[in-house]
């Protein structure tokens, strides 16, 4: 999923590694997108070796204040997507399957839904709904069979998980209905009061004390 995220961001504009890390966090959420330099830079080197991205050296910053943390005054490497990278990005956008229904995969794909065709969006949304419905039924089964054996805090955690699943299923059903009718998601502020943040797109979705 990191490959899809990197190529998608570089298709928007060239960036150096520091900017990519910031944009990954901003687009996918601070917790799920806690991309370390240890995982980001090997991915950039691999994509470069495969010809999917290329690099150019940015001019040194004019003053020390312009230098991000963990970088130097020397020119920074700026990465840009290649024609082959754009083809690969389009290929990744069109993929559907179990990995696109999991939390991280769904979050990354959802972040680029504006550039995904309607049929693919529907398949991913429906697959995600099935995944969350299975998770919901598993939690209901636990609560139905073992609630009396759980301590109060574990029981509350299970209930919280069930409520989160129920909210996400409602949210997914609304998105699916919109897709089938050709409408974009409603952007009204009150629309999201009972809807979860897409996994990977928010720093602390569904968190409560």
């Amino acid at each position: 999923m990191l490959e899809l995220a990197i190529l998608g961001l570089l298709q928007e504009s060239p960036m150096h590694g520091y900017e990519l890390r910031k944009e990954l966090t901003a687009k996918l959420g601070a917790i799920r997108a806690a991309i370390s330099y240890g995982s980001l830079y090997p991915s950039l080197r691999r994509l470069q070796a495969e010809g999917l991205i290329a690099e150019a050296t940015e001019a040194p910053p004019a003053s020390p204040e312009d230098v991000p943390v963990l970088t130097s005054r020397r020119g920074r490497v700026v990465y840009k997507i290649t024609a082959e990278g754009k083809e690969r990005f389009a290929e990744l956008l069109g993929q559907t399957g179990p990995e696109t229904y999991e939390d991280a995969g769904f979050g990354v794909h959802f972040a680029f839904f504006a550039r995904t065709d309607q049929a693919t969006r529907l398949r991913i949304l429906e697959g995600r709904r099935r995944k969350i419905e299975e998770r919901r039924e598993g939690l209901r089964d636990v609560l139905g069979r073992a609630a009396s054996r759980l301590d109060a805090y574990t029981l509350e955690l299970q209930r919280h998980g069930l409520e989160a699943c129920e909210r996400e299923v409602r949210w997914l059903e609304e998105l699916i209905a919109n897709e089938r009718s050709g409408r974009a998601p409603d952007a009204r502020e009150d629309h999201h009061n009972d809807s979860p943040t897409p996994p990977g797109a928010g720093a602390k979705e569904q968190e409560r004390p």
Side-chain angles (χ1 to χ4, degrees):
M1 289 303 136
L2 184 56
E3 178 182 1
L4 172 62
I6 291 172
L7 293 176
L9 289 174
L10 291 181
Q11 185 149 303
E12 295 174 359
S13 68
M15 299 181 193
H16 54 71
Y18 176 78
E19 290 173 320
L20 272 168
R21 191 181 184 198
K22 287 201 306 182
E23 288 300 313
L24 286 167
T25 298
K27 200 172 188 73
L28 305 179
I31 291 181
R32 296 188 191 278
I35 305 299
S36 69
Y37 287 106
S39 59
L40 176 59
Y41 285 102
S43 296
L44 289 171
R45 288 193 292 270
R46 178 180 60 80
L47 294 175
Q48 186 179 358
E50 294 174 0
L52 303 179
I53 63 175
E55 68 176 46
T57 302
E58 186 179 49
S63 66
E65 291 74 17
D66 297 329
V67 182
V69 178
L70 301 180
T71 63
S72 70
R73 287 182 61 84
R74 298 171 56 189
R76 291 166 290 168
V77 175
V78 175
Y79 299 93
K80 60 183 180 179
I81 194 169
T82 63
E84 292 80 3
K86 291 178 180 179
E87 292 178 2
R88 176 60 176 164
F89 177 63
E91 177 187 335
L92 291 172
L93 275 186
Q95 291 181 356
T96 60
E99 71 280 359
T100 65
Y101 311 148
E102 299 292 340
D103 292 351
F106 177 72
V108 173
H109 273 270
F110 194 88
F112 296 106
F113 258 23
R115 286 183 266 170
T116 306
D117 65 85
Q118 182 189 36
T120 301
R121 290 197 302 262
L122 264 174
R123 285 196 295 272
I124 293 174
L125 289 170
E126 290 170 344
R128 175 66 178 181
R129 180 178 61 181
R130 289 193 298 272
K131 180 72 177 180
I132 301 304
E133 286 174 339
E134 291 172 1
R135 188 179 299 173
R136 179 188 64 185
E137 294 311 307
L139 288 167
R140 284 177 175 172
D141 185 56
V142 169
L143 287 169
R145 291 186 299 103
S148 62
R149 300 195 299 273
L150 300 176
D151 65 78
Y153 292 99
T154 302
L155 184 59
E156 179 62 16
L157 182 62
Q158 297 297 317
R159 286 172 176 164
H160 170 64
L162 179 57
E163 290 169 3
C165 288
E166 290 172 341
R167 286 196 302 272
E168 185 167 351
V169 168
R170 291 195 298 270
W171 174 68
L172 289 165
E173 287 175 344
E174 185 172 351
L175 286 172
I176 290 168
N178 284 341
E179 288 292 338
R180 288 174 176 165
S181 63
R183 297 195 307 270
D186 192 339
R188 293 176 303 169
E189 289 186 7
D190 63 345
H191 174 75
H192 298 288
N193 287 346
D194 193 39
S195 299
T197 304
K204 296 184 178 181
E205 85 266 19
Q206 301 169 359
E207 180 178 345
R208 72 189 215 190

